[in-house]
Amino acid sequence: MKILSQFLSVLHMAVAFIGIIALQALVLITFAHVVLRFGFNSGINWSEEVCSSILMPAFVFLGMALGAQEDIHINVTVLPKSTPKWIFAITERLKDIGFIVVGIVMCYYSYDLILLNLEFENILPATGLNNALQYISMPVAGGMLILVAFLAMFNIKMAKNYVAHICNVDE
Amino acid sequence: MVVDTMGICILLGGFALLLILRIPVTFSLLLASLGTTLYLGLEPGFLIINMSKGVMNFSLLAIPFFIIAGGIMCHGGITTRILDFSNIIVGRFRGGLAQVNVLGSMFFGGVSGSAVADVSTVGSMMIPMMDQKGYDKDYSVAVTVSSACQGIIIPPSHNMILYAFAAGGGVSVGRLFLGGVLPGIMLGIFLMVVSYVIAVRRGYPSEKGVGFKKALKISTDAFLGLFTFLIIMLGITLGIFTATESAAVACIYALVITTCVYRTMTFRRLIQICYESLRTLAVVMSLIAAAYVYGMLLSRLRIPALATEGLLSISDNTIMLLLLINVVLVALGCIMDMAPLILICTPIIYPVVVQTLGMSPIQFGIMLLLNLGIGLCTPPVGSALFVGCAVGKAKIEKVSKALLPFYFTMILMLILITFIPQLSTTIPDWLMPEI
């Protein structure tokens, strides 16, 4: 149990740092593109492709799983506070099931897309990288969603939010 | 027109049911879309391809950039400087701190573009200060919360980019930014007038003036921070760079200013800003991916066309229809957060208002954002109201009551925006005419 909680914390930290690096890379590449375009009359021709087709989906889908783990996704509070606790317990489980269903769809079908792109050797025009890279974060995010929701059903959550601790942010 | 009632029930009813069951909006959208996809006999891979397609859009990159730039400005000491600068301009009026609060939010909104960030940063400084000077707590929180609403329509606002995206990409972000300037300033002035009247009635004090030399130093200091806003607006208006590029440049500029000039930025703080931005973006961007899939199914089931037909069957009077749409949007804003509402409502209402009633997309954008902004200040789920009450340690019921004159002001502004198109279209038509 303790090992699993610890594992979730480490997984969360790894994904958060990948997201932070992707975010910083997005800013730097776009800024460098603008500077080079004005300073040297020639921008980075692969900047748009790398930013919008590779880095953006990476941090969006990993962020989606991270949001599920930290329970920060927006939901609507329609049920009044006086609702019996057992109803809230059921909705919590339903939420976990919802995460698992979405996770399975993400894992299964994105894996299919990756295989398809690899088989037909579809490439991105500017970088020449395989199209499969666009979907590479999806099975990872899907897998993380399944794992986090499945363990949450047994009340196993991450031991500590190390990133929030390092950054001095409220968890 | 063939209506697939079952499909519509699964898509709309399923979504509503999942929301009631407290499933997060992103996952409710995805699960309702998955159900509809299976019902329509489509491959679930449709979901995956469109989720990716939804976020692989270069113009959407402006959202993370604006959020990071806002974070850098918040943590980099710009808020204090903006409030000092506002104090020089309006501090000597009756109820000076309330005026400073509104003007500070106007400037700060132009930098951060987020009402909640505005309430938490400006509020955490202004509310204790107002408390100390004898202002009633409910009034201090009400001023902070209502003035934060301006941030949504004063450019640059990442919500405007969300709207431009949800409208199908046919709306210029630059024109939208310019469209928000006049209504944003007007709303600020209206709020200042209301704050002044209440301050006079309750006998709140005015602030002491500062010497010329000090005022000049404060202004220079604040201008360096406020220049971020100019970089974005001038860059886009003059066609120097796109909205996305301007946001990236603003990020780097803000980082340089806070590191080298203000000397308030450290590496650890930068990582903290990136992590906080990542958390915000995790919510907003995954919502965009889910809403894109949902939007595809909405149009596949011809729901926008049905909504147009339904609304026109109620009345063919434009004024009545616009009032009805405003009422619906304010009511929705009371129960749901801003970003999901922009992404869900725009594809449905946009065709009615823009294509059938002939409203300018810019005017509709500003109207929609202000509508949902009012929702942020109203219970039961107004996030700006909650943050304001938490920061000010005030009761929601008391603050909601104190907010009444401000609600009235915001609704008045909303009516003006709805029925006077020139308010939101004059500046964009003048500075960035449509080609």
Side-chain angles (χ1 to χ4, degrees):
Chain A
M1 206 99 128
K2 223 176 172 182
I3 295 172
L4 282 172
S5 300
Q6 207 60 37
F7 173 71
L8 283 180
S9 302
V10 174
L11 181 70
H12 172 270
M13 187 168 68
V15 169
F17 278 115
I18 292 172
I20 289 172
I21 291 166
L23 211 52
Q24 290 176 338
L26 279 174
V27 178
L28 289 176
I29 293 173
T30 312
F31 179 71
H33 172 68
V34 176
V35 170
L36 289 174
R37 200 176 66 211
F38 285 104
F40 303 93
N41 221 6
S42 131
I44 306 169
N45 59 359
W46 47 263
S47 74
E48 202 169 317
E49 194 170 278
V50 168
C51 288
S52 57
S53 303
I54 299 172
L55 292 174
M56 183 85 149
F59 96 85
V60 170
F61 296 119
L62 292 176
M64 184 192 242
L66 195 85
Q69 193 174 10
E70 291 194 23
D71 202 13
I72 50 173
H73 283 292
I74 301 169
N75 52 16
V76 179
T77 316
V78 184
L79 298 175
K81 275 182 190 167
S82 55
T83 309
K85 274 188 180 168
W86 62 269
I87 294 185
F88 284 124
I90 292 176
T91 57
E92 272 302 300
R93 290 294 83 83
L94 285 174
K95 187 171 79 179
D96 292 332
I97 294 169
F99 286 169
I100 291 174
V101 172
V102 172
I104 290 172
V105 172
M106 279 173 73
C107 264
Y108 184 80
Y109 290 97
S110 60
Y111 180 67
D112 253 12
L113 276 172
I114 290 171
L115 289 184
L116 209 69
N117 277 300
L118 287 173
E119 193 183 324
F120 289 99
E121 292 180 359
N122 293 331
I123 55 160
L124 293 164
T127 49
L129 295 167
N130 196 292
N131 242 344
L133 270 176
Q134 294 182 338
Y135 305 102
I136 204 86
S137 60
M138 270 204 169
V140 180
M144 191 172 160
L145 268 175
I146 297 169
L147 182 71
V148 166
F150 184 73
L151 292 179
M153 284 180 143
F154 299 98
N155 228 1
I156 302 171
K157 295 192 173 165
M158 66 172 159
K160 192 174 183 180
N161 184 342
Y162 289 114
V163 193
H165 183 70
I166 294 167
C167 300
N168 203 13
V169 175
D170 291 334
E171 286 180 32
Chain B
M1 192 194 302
V2 184
V3 180
D4 189 341
T5 319
M6 191 60 190
I8 293 172
C9 279
I10 297 173
L11 191 66
L12 298 182
F15 173 60
L17 181 72
L18 290 164
L19 279 185
I20 293 168
L21 293 172
R22 291 161 54 93
I23 309 282
V25 183
T26 305
F27 292 88
S28 297
L29 287 169
L30 286 174
L31 290 168
S33 302
L34 177 65
T36 316
T37 305
L38 294 173
Y39 166 75
L40 293 174
L42 301 167
E43 264 286 299
F46 166 87
L47 247 74
I48 302 302
I49 294 172
N50 284 301
M51 273 169 79
S52 300
K53 219 169 142 190
V55 292
M56 282 179 206
N57 183 333
F58 190 67
S59 56
L60 278 180
L61 277 172
I63 297 176
F65 296 165
F66 279 131
I67 290 176
I68 298 173
I72 295 172
M73 301 308 264
C74 283
H75 291 272
I78 184 68
T79 321
T80 329
R81 288 164 177 88
I82 285 177
L83 292 176
D84 288 344
F85 179 60
S86 305
N87 191 28
I88 295 173
I89 304 174
V90 290
R92 273 175 289 178
F93 288 105
R94 199 66 185 270
L97 285 183
Q99 307 291 334
V100 171
N101 197 333
V102 179
L103 190 67
S105 291
M106 200 190 284
F107 287 137
F108 187 78
V111 175
S112 83
S114 156
V116 177
D118 193 342
V119 174
S120 56
T121 21
V122 176
S124 58
M125 289 180 199
M126 290 308 297
I127 297 171
M129 244 197 268
M130 290 171 83
D131 214 17
Q132 231 174 28
K133 294 259 167 126
Y135 289 74
D136 294 308
K137 200 164 255 180
D138 53 339
Y139 171 77
S140 315
V141 177
V143 171
T144 310
V145 171
S146 55
S147 58
C149 213
Q150 299 165 92
I152 294 157
I153 50 174
I154 288 186
S157 161
H158 65 264
N159 291 305
M160 287 183 178
I161 299 165
L162 274 185
Y163 163 73
F165 168 77
V171 185
S172 149
V173 174
R175 279 174 58 80
L176 204 53
F177 278 1
L178 290 171
V181 173
L182 190 57
I185 293 174
M186 277 179 71
L187 178 61
I189 293 171
F190 286 175
L191 291 173
M192 284 164 97
V193 171
V194 175
S195 312
Y196 178 78
V197 172
I198 300 174
V200 170
R201 286 178 64 181
R202 296 194 186 180
Y204 293 141
S206 52
E207 297 302 298
K208 282 179 193 159
V210 292
F212 179 74
K213 258 189 177 175
K214 200 176 174 192
L216 194 68
K217 182 167 184 331
I218 290 172
S219 307
T220 322
D221 242 17
F223 181 75
L224 282 174
L226 288 171
F227 194 67
T228 319
F229 169 79
L230 285 181
I231 288 179
I232 296 166
M233 292 313 292
L234 290 177
I236 296 174
T237 314
L238 299 176
I240 300 171
F241 27 64
T242 63
T244 307
E245 290 170 349
S246 74
V249 174
C251 269
I252 301 291
Y253 171 79
L255 187 62
V256 170
I257 287 294
T258 49
T259 312
C260 305
V261 183
Y262 295 163
R263 294 181 186 278
T264 45
M265 189 57 64
T266 56
F267 181 70
R268 200 185 167 107
R269 198 169 270 183
L270 184 64
I271 297 291
Q272 178 189 345
I273 292 164
C274 286
Y275 177 55
E276 281 178 353
S277 306
L278 183 71
R279 289 175 82 182
T280 312
L281 289 164
V283 176
V284 177
M285 300 306 287
S286 52
L287 199 55
I288 291 176
Y292 189 80
V293 181
Y294 195 76
M296 295 286 284
L297 290 167
L298 279 178
S299 30
R300 200 182 177 100
L301 292 168
R302 300 195 190 92
I303 292 173
L306 289 170
T308 310
E309 241 177 53
L311 275 168
L312 291 176
S313 69
I314 296 171
S315 167
D316 53 2
N317 183 320
T318 310
I319 296 173
M320 282 301 294
L321 283 175
L322 289 176
L323 283 175
L324 181 70
I325 289 169
N326 275 323
V327 170
V328 171
L329 285 174
V330 170
L332 285 173
C334 292
I335 55 164
M336 213 196 269
D337 212 23
M338 192 155 188
L341 275 179
I342 295 174
L343 292 164
I344 297 164
C345 292
T346 307
I348 299 175
I349 305 176
Y350 184 89
V352 186
V353 177
V354 176
Q355 284 154 20
T356 312
L357 302 180
M359 187 186 257
S360 144
I362 306 294
Q363 187 191 359
F364 174 57
I366 307 299
M367 182 186 106
L368 176 85
L369 294 178
L370 184 57
N371 255 311
L372 305 181
I374 295 172
L376 286 182
C377 310
T378 49
V381 294
S383 42
L385 177 66
F386 283 152
V387 175
C389 289
V391 170
K393 295 182 184 71
K395 284 196 169 167
I396 291 180
E397 304 81 44
K398 273 191 104 179
V399 175
S400 302
K401 207 173 158 192
L403 266 166
L404 285 175
F406 297 101
Y407 286 141
F408 175 75
T409 314
M410 288 190 276
I411 287 171
L412 175 72
M413 191 64 225
L414 179 63
I415 292 171
L416 291 178
I417 290 173
T418 309
F419 296 108
I420 309 176
Q422 288 79 3
L423 283 180
S424 36
T425 55
T426 305
I427 296 183
D429 285 346
W430 178 44
L431 291 174
M432 264 182 102
E434 261 178 319
I435 303 158

